[in-house]
Amino acid sequence: MDEALLRSLTPSVLTVLVRRGADFAAAEDAVQEALVEALRGRPAGPPRDPKGWLVTVAWRKFLDATRADTARRRREDRADEEPPPGPAPATDDTLQLYFLCAHPSLTPSSAVALTLRAVGGLTTRQIARAYLVPEATMAQRISRAKRTVSGVRFDRPGDVATVLRVLYLVFNEGYSGDVDLAAEAIRLTRQLAASIDHPEVAGLLALMLLHHARRAARTAPDGSLVPLAEQDRGRWDTRLIAEGVGILQTALARDRLGEFQAQAAIAALHADAPTVEETDWVQIVEWYDELAKLTDSPVVLLNRAVAVGEADGPRAGLAALAGLDAALPRHTAVAAYLHERDGDPETAARLYAEAAHRATTLAERDHLTRRAARLNAHRNG
């Protein structure tokens, strides 16, 4: 069977097993075994109903494992619980599965990590990078989360805040280009916005749309990164921008500000500027101040330092940067940019080279390396 099709069916199949009483860890193992069997190929060729076939095989895998764990007790009774043959309902259970994985027995951070790994399709390394922790630490966190929910019935969905965090991280990974999940995250967030009236859901949807509107301009034809200041704004999707701004304005009018609304407001100010020179950096700094009150994320303060550098000059930006942990991802790159703006190409080139060495993606490394080479060539020329 087609691997992309199998991947798209995984959340629904996992949901069916969980609904039938399988604990999450055992259900996940059973689905993975069924996927392996599907990828190996069937002698009779692809089934007419791939989802129904996966549900049947995964359930059989789960039952086999359960029987082995209980010394094959109640074998005859459990055999009767196998789903009957026939087509499975063509429903999209992905969003519901996100809520089920955000189980009340888990801490929000553990629920997010587990859902990203089991449902979102992200690797442990990608999740660790999003959380700014070592990969081994994240692997342990995911393992503990699986043990916590082992044997727990998934009949109590988690809260909206945890699901929003998962959707945002899935979108960010898709937006970075590592995994093409951005459109899927937007689709699910649209579903969520249509089903519940929540200002932060609207804020997240607006944020995704405003960022996604710039996606075509973020890379050059050769795949290299194009910074915001150098992007061709004529390639931005004005339809998505208008939709995002409209959704944001409606959410802000409710006067229940949250971090996703604040981030969307910043993105809207960038999208509203006809040129980089006309960007309202003073208002952007004010929104970063609001965002800093809502979250303790050091990334917010790092981005604020850039905005301060644009609004009040590079030395003011460097002063704002000085109080932050130099080990933060992108800290060195931000310092390089501000030193370049301040007329210190030698320091900027050195810092760009250091930042390139620490880059987590090939595109980012190449971009920083080119900036360092350009400054060195200019000084030596």
Side-chain angles (χ1 to χ4, degrees):
M1 275 185 269
D2 180 73
E3 185 172 353
L5 173 63
L6 291 174
R7 182 175 178 176
S8 69
L9 293 175
T10 298
S12 293
V13 176
L14 186 54
T15 301
V16 171
L17 266 64
V18 168
R19 284 177 174 172
R20 293 188 171 177
D23 68 74
F24 186 83
E28 185 185 18
D29 290 342
V31 172
Q32 292 302 319
E33 289 186 29
L35 291 177
V36 170
E37 185 169 325
L39 290 172
R40 287 175 178 168
R42 301 168 65 246
R48 285 179 295 179
D49 178 19
K51 179 179 175 182
W53 185 87
L54 279 175
V55 168
T56 300
V57 173
W59 186 252
R60 285 175 178 162
K61 299 289 185 184
F62 165 71
L63 291 180
D64 288 344
T66 300
R67 290 168 186 149
D69 290 340
T70 59
R72 311 190 72 83
R73 288 177 298 179
R74 297 183 61 223
R75 180 172 181 172
E76 295 76 11
D77 291 340
R78 287 192 178 275
D80 293 337
E81 298 174 15
E82 184 174 315
T91 58
D92 182 1
D93 300 311
T94 307
L95 188 58
Q96 183 177 6
L97 189 56
Y98 272 67
F99 273 94
L100 291 174
C101 287
H103 198 271
S105 64
L106 295 171
T107 64
S109 61
S110 293
V112 170
L114 178 63
T115 312
L116 289 172
R117 184 70 185 91
V119 189
L122 275 61
T123 66
T124 303
R125 177 175 297 180
Q126 290 168 328
I127 302 169
R129 187 171 67 237
Y131 271 87
L132 309 181
V133 299
E135 183 177 353
T137 300
M138 183 53 64
Q140 292 175 354
R141 184 178 300 177
I142 294 172
S143 295
R144 285 197 300 269
K146 287 183 177 181
R147 289 195 299 269
T148 299
V149 299
S150 179
V152 173
R153 285 191 63 85
F154 279 70
D155 54 0
R156 293 185 298 155
D159 64 5
V160 174
T162 299
V163 173
L164 291 180
R165 178 64 53 197
V166 172
L167 289 169
Y168 183 47
L169 291 175
V170 169
F171 174 81
N172 280 340
E173 285 299 330
Y175 192 60
S176 73
D178 294 333
V179 181
D180 190 13
L181 293 171
E184 172 69 358
I186 291 174
R187 183 184 71 85
L188 293 172
T189 306
R190 285 190 187 278
Q191 283 188 10
L192 188 57
S195 62
I196 63 174
D197 184 19
H198 193 297
E200 271 294 80
V201 175
L204 177 58
L205 179 57
L207 176 62
M208 288 179 174
L209 294 174
L210 289 165
H211 279 314
H212 207 58
R214 303 200 302 259
R215 188 172 188 181
R218 291 184 73 246
T219 55
D222 62 359
S224 60
L225 293 179
V226 180
L228 176 62
E230 301 172 17
Q231 289 177 13
D232 178 2
R233 301 188 176 214
R235 299 184 65 195
W236 290 1
D237 189 328
T238 55
R239 180 186 60 82
L240 286 182
I241 291 173
E243 182 185 4
V245 170
I247 293 171
L248 173 63
Q249 289 175 338
T250 300
L252 291 175
R254 301 178 63 176
D255 198 23
R256 290 171 54 193
L257 184 64
E259 64 173 292
F260 291 122
Q261 294 171 70
Q263 289 188 62
I266 294 168
L269 286 168
H270 283 298
D272 188 54
T275 65
V276 66
E277 292 78 15
E278 297 174 83
T279 304
D280 190 346
W281 287 106
V282 173
Q283 192 172 353
I284 288 176
V285 171
E286 292 174 354
W287 274 111
Y288 271 121
D289 289 338
E290 292 293 331
L291 188 55
K293 296 175 185 176
L294 295 167
T295 175
D296 58 356
S297 170
V299 176
V300 170
L301 298 178
L302 187 67
N303 291 332
R304 179 185 180 277
V306 176
V308 169
E310 299 291 349
D312 301 327
R315 294 196 178 181
L318 287 168
L321 188 66
L324 303 180
D325 184 357
L328 277 173
R330 293 187 59 248
H331 185 284
T332 307
V334 169
Y337 173 75
L338 292 172
H339 277 290
E340 181 182 0
R341 288 280 318 281
D342 195 37
D344 185 358
E346 182 176 357
T347 300
R350 175 177 56 81
L351 290 173
Y352 276 132
E354 290 182 15
H357 181 71
R358 301 175 184 175
T360 57
T361 67
L362 180 61
E364 182 183 7
R365 186 193 70 189
D366 290 346
H367 169 71
L368 295 169
T369 300
R370 282 194 296 270
R371 294 191 78 92
R374 176 178 54 80
L375 290 176
N376 285 326
H378 182 74
R379 287 193 304 114
N380 296 331

